[in-house]
Amino acid sequence: MSNIKYVCPCLFGLESLVADELRQLGAAQVASENGRVSFTGGDDVLARANINLRCAERVLVQLGEFEAKSFDALFEQVKALEWERWIGREDSFPVTGWSLNSALHSVPDCQAIIKKAVVERLHAKYGIAWFRETGANHRIRFSILKDTVSVSLDSSGDGLHKRGYRANANEAPLKETLAAAMIKLSRYGRGTPFCDPFCGSGTIPIEAAMLAMNMAPGLNRRFAAESWGAVETSVWAEARAEALSRIDNSPFTVSGYDIDPAAAALTLENAKKAGVGTHVTASAQDIRQFSPAEPRGIIVCNPPFGERMLDIHEAEALYRVTGQVLAKFPGWNAYILSADESFETLFGRKADRRRKLYNGMIKCNCYQYYRHFQKGAPGNAQETSAPGSNAGQA
């Protein structure tokens, strides 16, 4: 199939990163909106997007978008969509979704209406009175915002942040898609020294190593659409072979440290599962011991903070110490995620740039320091957000 419309939901603030990834994968008509990026392409783009995207949450096949202020209108317009193009006689098709600021505000009622409309459509096409739904899963997702309904099929299954390497995680782990986004913002590339001094279960070092190797994040997992009859299995095989051919396994190293020896050990375990074990080092070390041998490098980290692991006073003390330590190494750029609005004051310097991001449901900033850490250097903070996002919300 060609010229299919797709939508990738993403965390607020990451829209431009996802759009750039999609263009590199050959997607057409890429357009960013708040919290999502739409694009078009064939089955090959569907497979490549699922396997290769680092910062998107999932890949949806958008079947229709329309206005509906009544259940009758919702039913008729859902029924008019070409469900038989995707859903077979034996396939399952559960319905999930949400509604906000719309006349159709009851989500259970909307689910029931959409399910009924799809059944009616498939009944007319297949002549089947009862659908057993024992076959491949086609999860129908709907959203209703200000009476505009979007109806899609979820091609990913589990969210794309589930790479397959982190069955084990420490307390409050960072989402893989957000870790990858921070690394992209840092412009890290192979050959540059890289460190996460608060590595936890290793998400940031592992994502950095995967990026440096050009290893697709979805190579070690499966996707819902792989079982769909509408998409040839050869498409997935070709996309995987293409991704495998791009991997560069030549030597380099990224480093992780954590004050907890168990966290450092978990980082090494997860790195091995991810296929980057030969490129990731991790050991137990307090931030006060940070003393890199290289004069220049990149730090990307998500220090523990009040709402996450430490109490507020401990988090504030940690930010102060981190600022004092990193000021000793002016050649090292730092990209630090924090939900504390007073972070810059505690850290001891204004960021050169800030970017609003979300860690789960927690609004954060990625504080970017890349104009050296000399004591007393003037701050030059700028707020940025991705094109197509609302800077007041992202």
Side-chain angles (χ1 to χ4, degrees):
M1 298 183 192
S2 60
N3 201 32
I4 305 164
K5 184 171 183 179
Y6 302 107
V7 172
C8 281
C10 62
L11 298 174
F12 285 104
L14 305 189
E15 296 90 347
S16 65
L17 296 177
V18 173
D20 287 345
E21 287 187 283
L22 286 166
R23 291 187 186 99
Q24 292 171 10
L25 293 172
Q29 296 179 290
V30 179
S32 301
E33 303 174 36
N34 282 343
R36 68 180 209 164
V37 180
S38 63
F39 59 103
T40 61
D43 292 344
D44 57 333
V45 172
L46 172 70
R48 288 204 299 271
N50 272 296
I51 291 170
N52 292 281
L53 286 175
R54 299 182 190 278
C55 303
E57 294 302 304
R58 58 184 66 247
V59 182
L60 307 178
V61 181
Q62 187 170 67
L63 299 188
E65 191 169 55
F66 49 82
E67 184 177 86
K69 296 183 179 181
S70 69
F71 287 126
D72 286 342
L74 179 64
F75 178 87
E76 293 299 333
Q77 295 192 80
V78 171
K79 183 180 176 182
L81 301 175
E82 295 182 348
W83 296 100
E84 67 280 2
R85 181 182 181 185
W86 299 94
I87 302 175
R89 294 168 177 265
E90 303 292 328
D91 294 342
S92 64
F93 45 100
V95 181
T96 59
W98 53 268
S99 177
L100 183 65
N101 298 331
S102 301
L104 302 178
H105 54 80
S106 171
V107 171
D109 287 340
C110 292
Q111 286 177 286
I113 292 295
I114 290 172
K115 182 76 172 185
K116 182 179 178 181
V118 178
V119 168
E120 288 285 329
R121 172 81 183 201
L122 295 179
H123 169 70
K125 294 295 180 179
Y126 294 142
I128 300 173
W130 177 258
F131 290 88
R132 295 166 55 195
E133 297 194 51
T134 56
N137 187 38
H138 295 65
R139 183 172 296 278
I140 299 170
R141 291 182 175 267
F142 72 89
S143 63
I144 310 177
L145 177 62
K146 297 180 180 178
D147 300 320
T148 297
V149 182
S150 178
V151 183
S152 307
L153 290 174
D154 182 357
S155 75
S156 300
D158 289 337
L160 296 183
H161 69 280
K162 294 190 176 181
R163 320 289 209 207
Y165 65 75
R166 203 174 66 175
N168 299 319
N170 63 346
E171 185 180 356
L174 180 69
K175 209 169 189 179
E176 292 88 335
T177 45
L178 182 54
M182 291 177 64
I183 295 159
K184 280 182 167 284
L185 290 174
S186 77
R187 301 184 182 276
Y188 165 66
R190 174 194 292 268
T192 301
F194 182 97
C195 177
D196 175 4
F198 306 98
C199 65
S201 57
T203 307
I204 289 175
I206 291 169
E207 292 293 325
M210 291 173 71
L211 180 64
M213 290 177 65
N214 204 19
M215 175 187 284
L219 277 175
N220 293 327
R221 56 161 288 180
R222 295 288 169 175
F223 305 93
E226 292 190 67
S227 63
W228 294 359
V231 182
E232 295 289 340
T233 56
S234 60
V235 171
W236 295 94
E238 290 168 9
R240 280 198 168 85
E242 180 185 75
L244 283 168
S245 71
R246 292 196 303 267
I247 294 176
D248 181 354
N249 207 22
S250 56
F252 73 93
T253 302
V254 298
S255 302
Y257 302 101
D258 200 283
I259 195 170
D260 181 3
L266 185 55
T267 291
L268 295 176
E269 179 184 337
N270 288 338
K272 186 176 180 181
K273 290 178 181 176
V276 297
T278 57
H279 301 291
V280 174
T281 65
S283 59
Q285 178 178 285
D286 189 291
I287 184 63
R288 295 172 180 84
Q289 297 172 292
F290 181 74
S291 182
E294 301 86 355
R296 296 186 179 277
I298 292 175
I299 292 168
V300 178
C301 63
N302 175 35
F305 53 85
E307 294 182 53
R308 195 168 70 97
M309 293 173 67
L310 304 178
D311 67 37
I312 297 298
H313 296 301
E314 288 177 318
E316 290 178 348
L318 182 62
Y319 292 155
R320 289 191 184 95
V321 169
T322 301
Q324 293 164 5
V325 170
L326 297 189
K328 301 174 185 177
F329 306 98
W332 280 71
N333 298 340
Y335 297 77
I336 305 172
L337 188 71
S338 176
D340 193 331
E341 292 294 335
S342 61
F343 173 83
E344 290 165 298
T345 299
L346 297 165
F347 187 77
R349 189 195 149 179
K350 284 189 175 182
D352 298 310
R353 180 162 291 188
R354 296 188 300 269
R355 190 172 183 126
K356 291 184 181 179
L357 301 172
Y358 279 80
N359 186 8
M361 297 301 293
I362 303 172
K363 186 175 75 171
C364 302
N365 278 297
C366 179
Y367 295 95
Q368 304 175 41
Y369 295 90
Y370 47 80
R371 292 178 182 159
H372 306 305
F373 281 103
Q374 281 95 345
K375 187 175 181 180
N380 187 23
Q382 301 175 26
E383 283 194 5
T384 63
S385 51
S389 68
N390 187 317
Q393 298 176 357

